[in-house]
Amino acid sequence: MRYVSTRGDAPDLGFSDVLLAGLATDGGLYVPDRWPTLTHQNGQNGQDGQTRRSTAATYAERAVEVMLPFVEPDIDEVTLSHLCSEAYANFRHPAVAPLVQIDHRQWVQELFHGPTLAFKDIALQLVGKLFDHVLAARGDRVTIVGATSGDTGSAAIDGVSGCDNVDIVILYPLGRTSDVQRKQMTTVDAPNVHTVAVEGTFDDCQDLVKAMFNDVDFRRRNQLSAVNSINWARVMAQTVYYVTASETFAQPATFSVPTGNFGNVLAGWIAREMGAPIRDFIISSNSNDILTRFVNDNDMTARAVVPTVSPSMDIQVSSNFERLLFEMNGRAGGMTAEQLTRFRAVGRLDIETDQREQYLAGSFRAACFDDATTVTEIRRVFDASGYVLDPHSATATAAARMLSSRRDHDGPVITLATAHPAKFPDAVAEAVGRRPDLPEHLADLFEREERTHTAPNDLAAVQQLVEQLTR
Ligand SMILES: *Cc1c(COP(=O)(O)O)cnc(C)c1O
């Protein structure tokens, strides 16, 4: 598989180069030069002579069948099998991403059984293994730097802890993460993992990371790399659970997806392009509602970010939307680049009516909910079924209930549960009257020793610390 940039002005690359590059040199995101079709089907024999019956017995085996076309020829089937079985061995549920029924036509797909209790583990456990494999083959080494306000940092750290060819340095704002989130990062005892509490805000941390990447000399000297949500391999890994869930049902499924950067819902759209039996998608947001306004009113105007009880969706510019925009533009990179430049300049994106008709109508619906409604939804689902949702996932069950009942179809509706409720104990306790317990493997989290460093909000000081830590 070859990959092209969404802005049309960067060299085509193979999978390994795309993995390590993250962003393309023209500022675009990499996408495969064509969408492959699923080569194996579950439960039925292929009728077109091209598809074979899936023999996968586990999530990891199905993941290999789904992802192989994306990584060949750089990575072969035996190697991919090995990496997937290692990545998904760390999950606490044998099905990795199990389905739980909560109402007549409503299911929850639990994506939080990984080591850090958020769905980002599903991609980052594999991405860590992929990085280590590609770097070892090249005799190379990188330093991943990133900024986090919580979830991404711990999932990235866990994904690469113990990798021989990767150092990771994660910046977080001192005193501004939850205790669970901080401890999940600072108690990882691995020589290649480093955390830095910056005396500043999350935005300061992000600015420091950007400045380190923009310092070309520093970037080269330290072989800087990133695993943020625009990395193609993360989107690729997320297509798999859409395939496994939708294949469970006799009728095409609707997915309701709590959305921030658009990476998760984009992965679903790709799974459908590949032939997974998916009907459509519901996008849910909190009060940061840019995607809801876009889908419902053609209004993509960036506004200030407001903090909510679902902090991992407190995002106003959904970076992965660029990949869908490229498709909407008939894969014209120049046009995509132009639209995004204009968006940056005037803060507003305008899409032609027929593009909206072709790509959005019939595929995406959207709804947003404020904090009070989100907490009420956690309580409602708990009272009705005994099931405890986290606040991110609750926006999506609320959206599923609001939108799918108005449609005259009776297929399954699957809400993606993106975090374990114990990660957001305050909102959950407010809703159901008790704090959810941490799963067993984290029960002693608060007794574990923290190892971290502190730095002023100053580029030179942080750069010096990064070099000292990774020497
Ligand atoms: C990251 C995250 C999201 C948003 O995912 P996107 O891919 O950015 O849309 C939703 N819920 C939780 C718990 C997350 O950690």
Side-chain angles (χ1 to χ4, degrees):
M1 180 72 75
R2 301 297 294 174
Y3 287 83
V4 297
S5 165
T6 50
R7 301 202 187 174
D9 199 22
D12 296 5
L13 299 178
F15 176 78
S16 299
D17 287 323
V18 166
L19 174 77
L20 299 181
L23 209 62
T25 50
D26 59 1
L29 311 187
Y30 275 107
V31 288
D33 64 3
R34 68 195 155 80
W35 298 116
T37 42
L38 291 171
T39 52
H40 294 73
Q41 281 180 352
N42 238 354
Q44 62 201 81
N45 287 308
Q47 277 154 14
D48 54 4
Q50 301 279 310
T51 47
R52 286 180 284 156
R53 191 184 161 86
S54 170
T55 54
T58 63
Y59 183 91
E61 288 172 16
R62 190 70 180 122
V64 174
E65 292 172 347
V66 173
M67 293 190 291
L68 190 61
F70 290 117
V71 303
E72 280 181 331
D74 292 25
I75 296 177
D76 62 38
E77 186 169 355
V78 172
T79 307
L80 185 63
S81 297
H82 182 67
L83 298 174
C84 285
S85 60
E86 275 193 345
Y88 297 114
N90 293 336
F91 282 64
R92 283 163 300 121
H93 196 294
V96 178
L99 288 163
V100 178
Q101 188 163 12
I102 59 165
D103 206 339
H104 301 292
R105 293 194 298 117
Q106 303 278 341
W107 280 260
V108 166
Q109 188 174 26
E110 296 182 335
L111 303 178
F112 52 69
H113 292 289
T116 76
L117 311 183
F119 92 104
K120 292 184 173 69
D121 287 329
I122 293 189
L124 285 165
Q125 287 293 311
L126 180 65
V127 167
K129 306 274 184 283
L130 285 166
F131 258 75
D132 219 28
H133 167 76
V134 169
L135 290 167
R138 295 181 176 195
D140 223 340
R141 191 176 175 82
V142 297
T143 297
I144 291 172
V145 290
T148 191
S149 55
D151 279 353
T152 313
S154 54
I157 284 174
D158 215 287
V160 303
S161 75
C163 288
D164 294 330
N165 306 294
V166 180
D167 278 296
I168 187 165
V169 182
I170 295 289
L171 312 187
Y172 64 92
L174 179 69
R176 291 172 198 248
T177 55
S178 78
D179 287 349
V180 176
Q181 288 176 326
R182 187 189 70 252
K183 286 191 181 259
Q184 281 188 312
M185 295 190 280
T186 58
T187 61
V188 175
D189 186 15
N192 65 330
V193 168
H194 315 279
T195 55
V196 178
V198 173
E199 292 163 346
T201 63
F202 171 58
D203 286 338
D204 294 331
C205 295
Q206 267 193 317
D207 289 344
L208 286 165
V209 169
K210 265 186 217 148
M212 283 192 269
F213 274 95
N214 287 338
D215 181 341
V216 177
D217 234 24
F218 180 81
R219 184 170 80 198
R220 272 210 204 108
R221 199 164 60 236
N222 295 285
Q223 301 266 59
L224 292 198
S225 188
V227 290
N228 42 22
S229 75
I230 51 105
N231 193 297
W232 162 254
R234 285 183 59 178
V235 177
M236 173 187 78
Q238 290 173 215
T239 60
V240 177
Y241 50 77
Y242 284 94
V243 173
T244 62
S246 59
E247 284 176 344
T248 307
F249 299 97
Q251 284 169 291
T254 294
F255 281 90
S256 186
V257 187
T259 304
N261 264 317
F262 203 76
N264 201 1
V265 68
L266 176 78
W269 183 86
I270 293 168
R272 193 178 71 170
E273 287 294 297
M274 294 170 73
I278 298 171
R279 177 192 164 93
D280 60 358
F281 302 92
I282 293 170
I283 292 169
S284 77
S285 338
N286 56 31
S287 300
N288 299 290
D289 60 347
I290 185 166
L291 284 167
T292 305
R293 282 184 281 119
F294 176 66
V295 170
N296 294 340
D297 308 317
N298 197 16
D299 169 21
M300 192 176 281
T301 329
R303 294 189 187 151
V305 174
V306 288
T308 70
V309 293
S310 45
S312 299
M313 291 155 54
D314 291 349
I315 285 168
Q316 277 290 353
V317 177
S318 301
S319 43
N320 260 301
F321 182 74
E322 177 164 344
R323 289 188 162 112
L324 185 67
L325 185 63
F326 179 64
E327 296 294 328
M328 293 170 75
N329 290 335
R331 299 201 143 214
M335 182 171 167
T336 309
E338 226 169 80
Q339 278 176 328
L340 289 163
T341 308
R342 208 178 327 132
F343 180 53
R344 187 146 321 141
V346 303
R348 192 184 155 84
L349 187 68
D350 290 301
I351 307 283
E352 307 284 332
T353 312
D354 42 342
Q355 285 174 305
R356 288 180 56 80
E357 280 301 308
Q358 189 182 346
Y359 281 93
L360 298 182
S363 291
F364 298 99
R365 288 171 283 160
C368 59
F369 300 93
D370 63 13
D371 283 358
T373 316
T374 303
V375 170
T376 305
E377 173 70 6
I378 297 174
R379 182 177 313 129
R380 191 196 65 78
V381 171
F382 178 68
D383 287 346
S385 67
Y387 192 82
V388 181
L389 290 160
D390 98 285
H392 302 78
S393 316
T395 64
T397 53
R401 203 156 43 87
M402 186 170 115
L403 296 174
S404 62
S405 59
R406 291 190 197 154
R407 276 280 179 102
D408 56 343
H409 81 106
D410 53 3
V413 180
I414 304 167
T415 289
L416 299 185
T418 49
H420 191 288
K423 275 203 111 160
F424 302 94
D426 297 337
V428 174
E430 190 187 335
V432 307
R434 63 176 170 82
R435 293 174 82 77
D437 293 331
L438 281 166
E440 214 165 296
H441 77 290
L442 287 172
D444 67 341
L445 184 65
F446 284 84
E447 281 102 68
R448 291 183 201 166
E449 194 190 334
E450 290 193 63
R451 309 179 318 148
T452 189
H453 304 270
T454 307
N457 177 18
D458 174 73
L459 180 60
V462 172
Q463 285 182 319
Q464 200 185 355
L465 183 59
V466 168
E467 294 202 316
Q468 191 187 318
L469 290 172
T470 59
R471 187 167 298 145

